[in-house]
């Protein structure tokens, strides 16, 4: 009776043929309900809003060599695509059930709730899969209860659901609060973090975390804005400031309009990346994870790691090489594995991906 008295809420209307705002893309945010539309969006090389297309699934499965009876760990659950593919590898030979178990971690309280429901609806109960809301730097604690693990996957990329939602502040392309936290319930937002830094600290952050070419001038402009009591609270505030700085650079002024736009785009991407890495302590978390990793693997256990920028990849490569030398691993990837050209077309966000693996 309660539902009958509830007034019907109409969906948001939009002008034009296609929705442009995130909140208007009601079909893309319901992929199970609008499967045909989702296939159409993906076929055009786009990622539907509110969902994530898993990267290098076949390559990961080949590297991890998963079979029924194994115990595994997905360090970054996200939308659940990798976890689903790995669980399916645990399906018993008769297809009637599963043999083995997968534990999946995620620091994002918003997305883990949505993905858990999605996974349970697919029939993955606690006997084969369980999610944990925790940072993957805590794999030693997780292993004490659920390990040791025969296979481990860590996808270090930002989920498309986070990038596409303007309220999370991950993208400079959309207006929203300058937040950038994987867990918005903990720590400082990017806006708060910027206010706490002096000019030299800002410059160092932009260089160390993303090799920003114009780090010095951008840091000066931000510091100047704060000194004149201007606020940098939103993604638009920061984008406009970066754009003003880049377009005033002598070498950029000589470029064509299209090249100037590209220069602004690249600097915005790098600065936002640098802030995101800092706010979430990504390098510190990754180092801690890599140090603990061999101890959570079973004998001959395998790990696969997907990285998305040079800083991450350098850390993984260096640590794997060192741990191979000291005998913690018996084998590591000699060459990095990249996504196919076809995958990069289907999912442009796969372009920068690198896969490295190791075996205990």
């Amino acid at each position: 009776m309660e539902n009958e008295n509830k007034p019907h809420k109409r969906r948001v209307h939009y002008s034009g043929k296609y929705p442009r705002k995130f909140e208007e893309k009601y079909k893309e945010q319901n992929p199970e309900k609008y499967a045909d539309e989702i296939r159409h969006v993906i076929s055009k090389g786009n990622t539907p809003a509110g969902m994530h297309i898993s990267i290098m699934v076949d390559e990961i499965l080949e590297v991890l060599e998963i079979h029924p009876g194994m115990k595994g760990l997905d360090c970054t659950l996200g939308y659940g695509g990798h976890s689903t593919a790995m669980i399916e590898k645990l399906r018993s030979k008769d297809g009637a059930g599963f043999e083995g178990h997968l534990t999946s971690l995620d620091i994002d309280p918003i997305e883990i709730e949505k993905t858990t429901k999605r996974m349970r609806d697919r029939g993955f109960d606690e006997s084969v899969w369980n999610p944990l809301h925790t940072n993957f730097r805590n794999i030693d604690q997780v292993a004490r209860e659920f390990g040791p693990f025969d296979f481990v996957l860590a996808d270090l990329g930002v989920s498309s659901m986070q990038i596409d939602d303007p309220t999370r502040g991950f993208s400079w392309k959309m207006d929203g609060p300058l937040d950038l936290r994987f867990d918005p319930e903990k720590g400082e937002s990017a806006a708060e973090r910027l206010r706490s830094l002096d000019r030299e600290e800002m410059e160092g952050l932009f260089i160390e975390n993303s090799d920003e070419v114009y780090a010095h001038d951008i840091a000066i402009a931000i510091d100047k804005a704060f000194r004149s009591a201007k606020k940098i609270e939103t993604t638009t505030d920061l984008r406009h400031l970066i754009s003003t700085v880049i377009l005033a650079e002598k070498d950029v002024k000589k470029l064509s309009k299209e090249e100037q736009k590209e220069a602004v785009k690249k600097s915005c991407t790098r600065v936002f990346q640098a802030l995101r890495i800092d706010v979430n302590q990504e390098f510190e978390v990754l180092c801690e994870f890599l140090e603990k990793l061999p101890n959570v693997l079973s004998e001959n256990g395998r790990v696969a790691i997907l990285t998305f920028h040079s800083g991450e990849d350098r850390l993984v490569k260096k640590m794997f090489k060192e741990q191979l030398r000291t005998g913690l691993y018996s084998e590591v990837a000699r060459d990095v594995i990249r996504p196919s050209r076809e995958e990069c077309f289907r999912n442009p966000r796969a372009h920068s991906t690198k896969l490295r693996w190791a075996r205990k």
Side-chain angles (χ1 to χ4, degrees), residues 95-115:
F98 299 93
E99 296 172 18
H101 189 271
L102 179 72
T103 302
S104 299
L105 317 180
D106 205 305
I107 194 175
D108 189 328
I110 299 167
E111 294 304 329
I112 195 172
E113 186 178 336
K114 296 177 185 175
T115 302

Side-chain angles (χ1 to χ4, degrees), residues 132-150:
L132 293 178
H133 177 216
T134 189
N135 195 306
F136 65 86
R137 75 193 315 167
N138 301 320
I139 53 169
D140 52 338
Q141 298 169 29
V142 175
R144 279 197 284 273
E145 184 175 356
F146 299 100
F149 300 107
D150 301 304

Side-chain angles (χ1 to χ4, degrees), residues 267-284:
S267 280
C268 284
T269 300
R270 287 192 293 257
V271 170
F272 272 70
Q273 173 185 296
L275 274 173
R276 192 202 75 223
I277 289 170
D278 183 74
V279 164
N280 296 291
Q281 299 183 313
E282 290 180 42
F283 287 151
E284 294 87 342

Side-chain angles (χ1 to χ4, degrees), residues 245-261:
V245 171
I246 304 307
L247 294 176
E249 296 289 339
K250 288 182 181 178
D251 57 333
V252 175
K253 282 182 177 179
K254 299 174 185 175
L255 302 174
S256 68
K257 290 291 183 186
E258 205 56 43
E259 288 170 325
Q260 288 179 0
K261 277 176 66 177

Side-chain angles (χ1 to χ4, degrees), residues 28-85:
E28 291 188 42
Q29 293 185 61
N30 289 277
E32 284 81 8
K33 189 175 179 182
Y34 299 101
D36 289 342
E37 283 84 352
I38 297 308
R39 277 193 290 272
H40 177 65
V41 171
I42 293 173
S43 71
K44 292 169 67 179
N46 297 318
T47 300
M51 73 174 289
H52 182 82
I53 301 172
S54 297
I55 295 171
M56 299 184 74
V57 175
D58 292 339
E59 292 87 345
I60 288 166
L61 295 178
E62 184 178 346
V63 161
L64 294 180
E65 298 183 355
I66 304 168
H67 56 75
M70 284 185 161
K71 282 196 293 186
L73 177 67
D74 184 350
C75 297
T76 44
L77 172 62
Y79 197 75
H82 285 135
S83 282
T84 298

